[in-house]
Amino acid sequence: MLSKIIHNKKKLIPAFLLSPGMIILTIGFFIPLIMLFVVSFYQGVSGSGIMVKEVTLDNYINFMDPYYAKIIFRTFKIALLTSILSLILGYPVAMMISKSSEKIKTILLAVVLTPLLTNVVARTLGLMIILGKHGPINQLLGLFNIAPIKFIPGELGIVVGLTQVFMPYMILSISGILGNIDFSLEEAARDLGCSRMGAFWKVIFPLSMPGIVAGSLFVFLLSFSSFVTPRLLGGGKVMVITMLIYQQAMQLINWPFAAAASFVLLFFSTIMITLYSKATMSKNVVGITKNIDGKSKTSGVRLVKRKIGDGLYNWRASIARIISRNARKIKFAESFEGFVQTIGKFLLRSWKVIIVLFIVLPLPLVILSSFSESSIITFPPTGFSLRWYAGLLERTEYVKSFFLSLKLALISVVISLSVGTLASLALARYDFRGKELMRSIFLSPLSLPAVIVGIALLRFLAYMQWVATFQGLMVAHLVLTTAYVVRTVSASLVGFDLSIEEAARDLGASAFYTLRKITLPIIKPGLIVAGIFSFIVSFDETTVSIFITGGRTITLPVRIFSQLEYGLDPTVTAVSSLLILMSVTALLLIGKVFGLEKFSIK
């Protein structure tokens, strides 16, 4: 009887640990989503905020209109181009990281991670400086008498901007896979007569496919659901689906149609994830299918493709061998071949340097612009002055927004770190029914487009009369920061030696004493990193906050975003520079505690 009671108590422990986090998610995530889904079937009167509570499918049927279909197609095209460009530019950097020494690898990872941890508005400001009509790129083109390119406002600027913003995900994903590849396989292929490029395409590239798949998926979905960068670089003139949601909800006050657009975005995101995953399954990659009798065979289409590819490769290899054989007979040809290889290596290294500069350059440009004397943001800056930093103290709206963001971030760290750690302990230590489902539930806010979270919370907070209030902002930030804490702390608990805790319990330590003196000190590095991530996520959060701030509760990133919508005020360069400095400091702390080599997406 006693053992049964103890067993029942143990079964209640996971529920007790998960309860605080589930309360936050239920209030700030699931109830708002359910309310938004219900609203999407109402009839809205554009421009009035009036809703007719009669069930209708008109809001969804409207997306069959050519205008809205064009918006979806444009969003898809921008995301696809961003993914392709990120892969082309990011792969050489990922290869460079994987083949570098530990010291160089740490430097390169710091370069890649710094923009990733920097507020998206600050990064986009740097892109607006670079891609502007009189920016560095067009100035460089002018030196060669080439007509300036109109990057912004326009789709071209959005694609370039999204590539710069999201390429680090591609690099981290591919470098994580390349780091596990034995490059001696490439050398073996070279010894067997394969050219350098042939060895890469036949050996290294196929082995890195999982990283390419994961990175492309990250970049595509983030680009498809991005709002801040398309809004600023498009100048409000390039309509994508996130812009449509914002317009319908915040400007036309057509809640039902905005809700329907949100679920259309969610639908396409889900479909793309499913199709992309199925298309990149290992059996599809290698072209293997199964017969009814269980025997494997190569599909007919893939067999033809493979034969054509092998034929082309053999043809290229034969030509290369003939050229190589004849070239060795002539000393001049050997010298010329070496010269070409040297030039090729130089160009490749130069290209890698350009890509790295492309990733990080917007940040130093923002910092340099913040010291300009001019009241117009230009590059290079005219003169040197600290007036914009000194002027921050006089701009009370920026000071109030800073302290609001700081207060939100600190409270979010304390609450989410406590709640998220408890949930992580339940998910890592106990086996119970629905464990994987609960893990997915806690991480779901990270997979949902931020625009959907924002509009769902807007509807919920309006019902609760919490719009533009501190408590409303706190609910929104806790939903996001708790998910980050669960993901980070759960990773720290993987491989934890439970025998240490059992030894402490055998020596008479209570469960709470063991947790406080044994468990928490061991996972302390993970807790520190989770706390830093929580602070950055909360302090830099922009997209969700845009929907629910107002009046006296405008956070600092939203304040900067609003300023950039209506013009480039040099004061925002000073504020953005401080945000960049904060990100660099956070990166140094993470590198010291956790190690930058831990960052990879697999």
Side-chain angles (χ1 to χ4, degrees):
M1 184 67 179
L2 180 60
S3 61
K4 186 176 181 180
I5 294 174
I6 295 174
H7 178 70
N8 290 334
K9 285 185 177 180
K10 286 185 177 181
K11 289 178 65 176
L12 292 175
I13 292 177
F16 172 76
L17 296 175
L18 293 169
S19 294
M22 282 303 300
I23 291 173
I24 292 175
L25 285 177
T26 301
I27 295 175
F29 189 69
F30 292 111
I31 292 178
L33 281 179
I34 294 170
M35 291 180 65
L36 187 69
F37 183 71
V38 173
V39 168
S40 70
F41 293 99
Y42 292 164
Q43 186 67 46
V45 180
S46 183
S48 66
I50 298 174
M51 292 186 297
V52 180
K53 296 184 179 181
E54 296 178 359
V55 177
T56 177
L57 294 175
D58 289 348
N59 296 315
Y60 292 97
I61 295 174
N62 284 340
F63 278 91
M64 299 178 67
D65 183 276
Y67 173 75
Y68 298 114
K70 186 177 180 180
I71 290 175
I72 294 175
F73 176 76
R74 182 185 297 119
T75 308
F76 185 90
K77 180 179 69 173
I78 289 174
L80 182 61
L81 291 175
T82 301
S83 301
I84 294 172
L85 192 58
S86 296
L87 176 59
I88 294 173
L89 298 180
Y91 200 102
V93 178
M95 181 69 77
M96 184 166 56
I97 290 175
S98 63
K99 288 190 173 184
S100 298
S101 62
E102 290 301 319
K103 185 176 180 179
I104 300 299
K105 183 182 295 185
T106 301
I107 295 173
L108 290 174
L109 283 173
V111 169
V112 171
L113 288 170
T114 300
L116 193 62
L117 296 177
T118 304
N119 178 265
V120 66
V121 181
R123 279 184 290 169
T124 306
L125 172 59
L127 289 167
M128 294 172 74
I129 296 174
I130 292 177
L131 303 177
K133 184 178 180 180
H134 303 290
I137 293 180
N138 281 322
Q139 289 181 20
L140 182 62
L141 294 177
L143 296 177
F144 298 96
N145 294 322
I146 300 175
I149 300 175
K150 184 183 178 182
F151 289 100
I152 53 176
E155 290 186 25
L156 178 59
I158 293 175
V159 171
V160 174
L162 289 175
T163 300
Q164 194 278 335
V165 170
F166 295 133
M167 196 200 308
Y169 290 101
M170 181 74 75
I171 294 172
L172 294 174
S173 174
I174 296 175
S175 64
I177 297 298
L178 289 175
N180 297 324
I181 294 177
D182 185 0
F183 283 94
S184 63
L185 296 173
E186 183 182 19
E187 296 299 324
R190 296 289 306 283
D191 292 340
L192 292 174
C194 194
S195 65
R196 183 179 296 275
M197 289 300 296
F200 169 76
W201 287 111
K202 288 289 185 179
V203 179
I204 302 301
F205 189 80
L207 291 176
S208 64
M209 188 58 69
I212 294 173
V213 169
S216 300
L217 178 60
F218 267 111
V219 173
F220 188 93
L221 292 178
L222 290 172
S223 302
F224 193 83
S225 59
S226 178
F227 171 73
V228 172
T229 301
R231 173 75 177 179
L232 294 178
L233 296 183
K237 298 177 181 179
V238 180
M239 186 64 70
V240 293
I241 191 166
T242 51
M243 282 280 295
L244 177 66
I245 295 170
Y246 179 82
Q247 179 195 65
Q248 294 293 324
M250 306 298 288
Q251 297 172 354
L252 300 179
I253 321 178
N254 189 343
W255 289 79
F257 190 70
S262 299
F263 280 97
V264 168
L265 171 61
L266 180 60
F267 171 77
F268 276 100
S269 299
T270 305
I271 291 296
M272 285 183 294
I273 291 175
T274 304
L275 292 178
Y276 207 98
S277 299
K278 288 185 177 181
T280 53
M281 288 174 61
S282 58
K283 65 178 182 180
N284 289 335
V285 172
V286 299
I288 299 295
T289 57
K290 291 286 183 178
N291 275 329
I292 297 177
D293 59 1
K295 296 181 180 180
S296 63
K297 67 173 184 178
T298 305
S299 63
V301 175
R302 293 187 177 276
L303 182 61
V304 173
K305 288 183 178 180
R306 183 180 297 177
K307 287 185 176 181
I308 293 174
D310 290 342
L312 290 173
Y313 172 76
N314 292 332
W315 178 69
R316 290 195 301 268
S318 299
I319 294 177
R321 282 193 294 269
I322 293 172
I323 294 174
S324 178
R325 189 164 51 248
N326 292 331
R328 291 192 185 96
K329 297 178 181 179
I330 306 173
K331 188 175 181 179
F332 173 77
E334 290 181 350
S335 301
F336 182 74
E337 182 182 3
F339 175 75
V340 171
Q341 289 180 355
T342 303
I343 292 296
K345 290 180 180 179
F346 173 77
L347 292 176
L348 181 60
R349 289 173 181 173
S350 300
W351 179 241
K352 291 178 181 179
V353 171
I354 291 173
I355 297 171
V356 172
L357 288 176
F358 172 69
I359 294 172
V360 76
L361 192 58
L363 304 185
L365 286 188
V366 171
I367 296 174
L368 289 174
S369 299
S370 68
F371 295 104
S372 175
E373 287 184 346
S374 174
S375 58
I376 301 175
I377 299 178
T378 57
F379 192 86
T382 56
F384 177 86
S385 175
L386 296 174
R387 59 183 292 199
W388 307 116
Y389 288 95
L392 285 176
L393 298 177
E394 300 174 2
R395 300 288 294 271
T396 56
E397 68 273 21
Y398 283 105
V399 175
K400 290 179 181 178
S401 293
F402 169 78
F403 282 109
L404 175 64
S405 294
L406 182 63
K407 181 180 178 181
L408 270 172
L410 291 175
I411 296 176
S412 295
V413 168
V414 174
I415 297 177
S416 62
L417 200 57
S418 303
V419 170
T421 301
L422 292 177
S424 300
L425 287 170
L427 294 172
R429 295 294 179 80
Y430 299 93
D431 291 323
F432 54 90
R433 185 176 299 177
K435 177 179 177 178
E436 292 305 317
L437 176 62
M438 291 301 300
R439 190 188 306 276
S440 300
I441 287 174
F442 271 91
L443 298 179
S444 57
L446 302 182
S447 59
L448 207 64
V451 171
I452 299 178
V453 179
I455 188 176
L457 275 168
L458 175 61
R459 175 59 189 164
F460 172 73
L461 296 178
Y463 179 80
M464 298 291 293
Q465 297 183 350
W466 282 2
V467 175
T469 63
F470 183 82
Q471 57 264 37
L473 279 170
M474 180 54 62
V475 170
H477 284 225
L478 285 177
V479 168
L480 299 174
T481 55
T482 299
Y484 274 97
V485 169
V486 170
R487 187 171 69 175
T488 307
V489 176
S490 295
S492 300
L493 289 168
V494 173
F496 186 93
D497 189 359
L498 294 177
S499 62
I500 301 175
E501 289 185 350
E502 292 173 359
R505 297 297 301 276
D506 292 340
L507 292 172
S510 65
F512 179 73
Y513 185 87
T514 303
L515 174 67
R516 185 165 58 91
K517 291 292 186 177
I518 304 296
T519 308
L520 294 182
I522 291 178
I523 64 172
K524 182 180 177 180
L527 294 175
I528 293 175
V529 173
I532 295 173
F533 268 127
S534 299
F535 184 88
I536 293 175
V537 168
S538 178
F539 196 92
D540 288 346
E541 208 297 307
T542 307
T543 304
V544 175
S545 298
I546 286 172
F547 287 87
I548 58 178
T549 57
R552 298 181 179 179
T553 58
I554 299 178
T555 60
L556 187 60
V558 175
R559 179 78 66 184
I560 301 173
F561 173 83
S562 301
Q563 180 60 55
L564 292 179
E565 277 193 301
Y566 299 105
L568 291 178
D569 178 5
T571 305
V572 302
T573 61
V575 180
S576 299
S577 298
L578 296 177
L579 293 178
I580 293 170
L581 180 62
M582 184 184 72
S583 300
V584 172
T585 304
L587 184 66
L588 292 175
L589 289 174
I590 293 173
K592 184 72 174 177
V593 174
F594 202 60
L596 298 183
E597 70 280 357
K598 302 291 184 181
F599 285 87
S600 62
I601 302 172
K602 299 180 181 180

